[in-house]
Amino acid sequence: MVMTAALATVLAYLAGSVPFAVVVSRAMGLPDPRSYGSGNPGTTNVLRSGSKLAALLTLVGDALKGWAAVAIAQYLGLGAVVIALVALAAFLGHVFSVWLRFNGGKGVATAAGVLFALDWRIGLSVLAVWLGVVVATRYSSLGALVASCAAPVAVWHFAGAGPVLWACLAMSAVLVWRHGANIGKLLRGEESRIGEKKKEAA
């Protein structure tokens, strides 16, 4: 059981480490997303390349790797503890990608994929929170921060207390930490709204 848990966790981390922002950009002949804008290898920064298709493919890829890792663990019946470890490992793989020298994106899309795999109701609830905040404020980073705080509540409501809740709390803490610079910009009124081109966003 310990070996199975360790193997599943390592494989989930490696899958989560695949930097779709970089892979998609190279495949489409676009600049490396780490070389412009915020320097973050994620969907929002890839969108700054001017290619909506590249941004969409990045979003789908980052979300799918989180979803697939958890869905496979569930299909194999690995148990709540292992599923929680796999969920967290896939997310941390994106944030601290071994392929990018342990640098990576902020993890929003991958976390969303993980949540949808855990329970579609959790994923949909958190997505609704994110969308509501973004539509109301046009701040993508604020939507991510509020959704991060809402995620553990949704997990507790639909799945109860347990290993998965602790994994979600850890993901939420990392997400908030990774948005530290955005929090500062939001407090100073310097954060870019969606559609603006003058300032850098997350």
Side-chain angles (χ1 to χ4, degrees):
M1 178 63 181
V2 174
M3 288 299 295
T4 300
L7 179 61
T9 301
V10 170
L11 290 176
Y13 169 78
L14 292 176
S17 289
V18 177
F20 277 96
V22 176
V23 172
V24 169
S25 294
R26 287 181 181 174
M28 298 182 66
L30 299 171
D32 190 312
R34 295 168 293 174
S35 68
Y36 60 84
S38 66
N40 180 57
T43 301
T44 302
N45 204 40
V46 171
L47 187 59
R48 293 195 182 97
S49 70
S51 174
K52 293 181 180 179
L53 177 59
L56 177 61
L57 291 174
T58 298
L59 174 64
V60 172
D62 284 344
L64 273 180
K65 65 187 182 185
W67 179 87
V70 175
I72 292 172
Q74 291 174 324
Y75 177 77
L76 295 176
L78 297 183
V81 173
V82 180
I83 289 172
L85 289 172
V86 164
L88 183 58
F91 168 77
L92 292 177
H94 178 82
V95 178
F96 305 106
S97 173
V98 67
W99 313 122
L100 300 180
R101 298 181 180 180
F102 300 102
N103 292 311
K106 295 181 179 177
V108 176
T110 304
V114 166
L115 293 176
F116 268 101
L118 290 172
D119 189 317
W120 67 268
R121 297 170 299 176
I122 295 173
L124 195 60
S125 298
V126 176
L127 178 61
V129 170
W130 176 84
L131 186 60
V133 174
V134 170
V135 169
T137 67
R138 289 173 50 220
Y139 285 125
S140 176
S141 57
L142 182 59
L145 285 164
V146 176
S148 297
C149 295
V153 178
V155 170
W156 176 79
H157 178 74
F158 290 110
V164 169
L165 177 58
W166 287 108
C168 184
L169 285 167
M171 288 193 294
S172 295
V174 173
L175 280 165
V176 172
W177 168 66
R178 290 288 286 163
H179 282 82
N182 301 95
I183 293 173
K185 288 182 180 181
L186 285 165
L187 292 174
R188 295 191 300 270
E190 299 173 356
E191 182 71 307
S192 293
R193 296 176 189 269
I194 292 175
E196 289 182 347
K197 297 182 179 180
K198 292 182 179 180
K199 304 174 186 177
E200 291 185 7

